[in-house]
Amino acid sequence: MAEYNPVLTAPEGANKNPKRVGRGSSSGLGTTAGKGNKGQQSRSGGGNPYVGFEGGQMPLYRRIAHRGFSNVAFREENVCFNLSEIDAKFAEGESVDKASLIAKGLISAKNDCIVKILGDGDITKKLVVTVDKVSKSAKEKIEKAGGTVNAAVGTSRKEKKASYAKARAAKKESSSKAAPAKKAEAKK
């Protein structure tokens, strides 16, 4: 019977010593240190400088025409709930907000999304709704059932732009009024 040896060893010739470069001409790897003569591969940090590099040729991702616009960097993720879903998941007098939606497993705690309530279906319970957006029809139905809504209601993009423009104009006007007063104080 063969003797049992629990120690695993690599087969002979599997493990090789690393090349020891820079040890003179007689080492077998003298002068060019095994990298050949000149060129990209012989330089330190050579190889491919970036993903998609094609040896100096215009890379594929730059040869192909780019068309259109991508909204990926600026998009807002909206999670919409209909009144019928809210009515089924929440009890009388409960508060509907991001924390309660996360607690009930309706939205993930990880993703930072905008919650909107839509007016499809009916609501029979008195709820306190505190979310980012609520449609006009949903607001009417919630208030008709005796609930309250604390959210941006039915504001369109045009209305938002107009309100932002008003706010900017008011800020500019207040800063222009404050500037002479600061100058007068500085002179004193």
Side-chain angles (χ1 to χ4, degrees):
M1 192 169 155
E3 191 178 314
Y4 174 70
N5 185 2
V7 180
L8 294 173
T9 54
E12 198 172 323
N15 297 336
K16 297 177 182 177
N17 292 331
K19 290 179 179 181
R20 300 183 72 227
V21 298
R23 294 293 185 278
S25 299
S26 61
S27 66
L29 290 169
T31 62
T32 58
K35 288 193 165 199
N37 289 311
K38 300 181 183 173
Q40 187 177 8
Q41 304 292 356
S42 69
R43 310 288 191 239
S44 67
N48 289 343
Y50 56 85
V51 175
F53 182 69
E54 296 183 17
Q57 173 179 300
M58 186 64 71
L60 181 69
Y61 73 91
R62 289 185 64 194
R63 292 199 301 268
I64 293 172
H66 288 219
R67 294 177 63 84
F69 169 75
S70 174
N71 193 28
V72 170
F74 318 106
R75 74 166 176 239
E76 293 177 340
E77 189 180 337
N78 289 312
V79 179
C80 298
F81 294 99
N82 284 310
L83 286 177
S84 54
E85 296 172 89
I86 298 294
D87 195 47
K89 297 285 183 180
F90 287 87
E92 180 79 29
E94 272 191 300
S95 178
V96 180
D97 55 8
K98 278 189 182 177
S100 63
L101 290 166
I102 290 166
K104 293 190 183 289
L106 296 171
I107 58 172
S108 171
K110 289 179 183 175
N111 69 342
D112 185 35
C113 57
I114 292 169
V115 177
K116 183 169 183 176
I117 308 294
L118 302 175
D120 192 28
D122 289 314
I123 192 153
T124 57
K125 299 163 186 163
K126 186 178 177 181
L127 300 171
V128 178
V129 179
T130 310
V131 292
D132 300 305
K133 296 178 181 180
V134 176
S135 70
K136 285 181 184 177
S137 61
K139 185 184 181 196
E140 289 167 9
K141 288 180 182 179
I142 291 166
E143 288 175 347
K144 192 177 178 184
T148 56
V149 176
N150 304 320
V153 179
T155 51
S156 67
R157 196 173 278 173
K158 263 187 181 177
E159 289 168 344
K160 276 185 190 174
K161 275 188 176 181
S163 66
Y164 291 149
K166 274 184 186 176
R168 267 192 245 109
K171 188 177 180 182
K172 194 174 185 181
E173 192 176 303
S174 64
S175 65
S176 64
K177 285 180 182 177
K182 283 184 182 178
K183 283 182 183 178
E185 285 177 25
K187 283 181 181 179
K188 288 178 185 179

